[in-house]
Amino acid sequence: MAEIESFTLDHTAVKAPYVRLIAVERGPKGDAISNFDVRFVQPNEGEIPTAGLHTIEHVLAGLLRDHVDGVIDISPFGCRTGFHLIVWGEPLVADIVSGIAQSLHAIAETVTWEQVPGVSAVECGNYRDHSLHSAREWSRLILERGISSDAFERVDVVH
Ligand SMILES: [Zn+2]
C-alpha cells in the first residue's frame, strides 16, 4: 500500500486546534494543489459528534469559499477530530487559519438554520443527522482554544 502522510504524523505530539500543511502536489502542467490538516479537536481525547460535524461541513462548504480563494474541497476526517482542506495553489497557513476562524465565528454567532446549505433529503445523504446547536457550541469551543498555525506549538494568528 502507498504510504499516507497523515498516518505517519504522531497524533500524540500535536496540539489542537491547529492548521497544518500536509503536502503540496503538482500536476503535469505545474499547477499546485495544497492539502491541509484542519484539526479542531485533540486526537484521542475527543471528537465532534456526527450531527454537529455534518452541519459544520455544510456551512464551511459555502462560507470558507468566501474567505479563502481556490477551495476545492473541505471534508471531515473519519475520526471526527477535523477536516481535510484541498486548495488550488499555495496559500499561507496563516490565511487558512484566518478563513477558518472567520467561518467558525459566523457559525457560532450569526448563521441561522435557514442559512445552512443543502439540508433537505434531495441535497444531502443523511439530512436527519444535522445539529446547528452542536455546530455552534463546538465552533465556540474551538475559537476559545484558538487555532494555532503550528501543529506542535501554540502559535496564535492575529486576525
Ligand atoms: Zn450532508
Side-chain angles (χ1 to χ4, degrees):
M1 259 196 257
E3 185 171 274
I4 308 297
E5 194 277 347
S6 295
F7 300 148
T8 66
L9 172 74
D10 181 352
H11 285 70
T12 66
V14 298
K15 294 173 184 164
Y18 65 80
V19 172
R20 182 178 68 94
L21 177 66
I22 297 172
V24 177
E25 308 224 2
R26 276 179 206 286
K29 299 196 172 167
D31 286 328
I33 289 177
S34 299
N35 181 8
F36 294 94
D37 166 3
V38 179
R39 190 76 58 166
F40 287 155
V41 180
Q42 185 62 28
N44 301 303
E45 288 183 12
E47 67 288 317
I48 302 174
T50 57
L53 188 74
H54 192 186
T55 302
I56 292 172
E57 179 213 347
H58 276 235
V59 178
L60 282 183
L63 263 189
L64 190 62
R65 288 179 164 86
D66 295 342
H67 298 296
V68 175
D69 288 334
V71 171
I72 296 170
D73 187 43
I74 179 151
S75 298
F77 296 140
C79 59
R80 293 188 272 129
T81 62
F83 288 75
H84 266 301
L85 170 63
I86 315 286
V87 187
W88 285 111
E90 298 179 72
L92 299 172
V93 168
D95 291 338
I96 302 298
V97 170
S98 174
I100 293 281
Q102 288 178 74
S103 303
L104 292 184
H105 186 77
I107 294 171
E109 303 298 337
T110 61
V111 170
T112 63
W113 177 245
E114 289 68 34
Q115 291 173 319
V116 179
V119 289
S120 72
V122 172
E123 301 161 307
C124 176
N126 192 356
Y127 81 100
R128 295 178 186 87
D129 196 25
H130 276 282
S131 171
L132 182 56
H133 173 73
S134 172
R136 275 186 189 134
E137 290 295 308
W138 280 92
S139 295
R140 273 187 203 125
L141 198 69
I142 294 157
L143 290 172
E144 250 173 54
R145 290 178 181 166
I147 304 170
S148 175
S149 60
D150 186 302
F152 303 99
E153 285 180 48
R154 305 305 302 165
V155 179
D156 292 329
V157 174
V158 180
H159 305 296

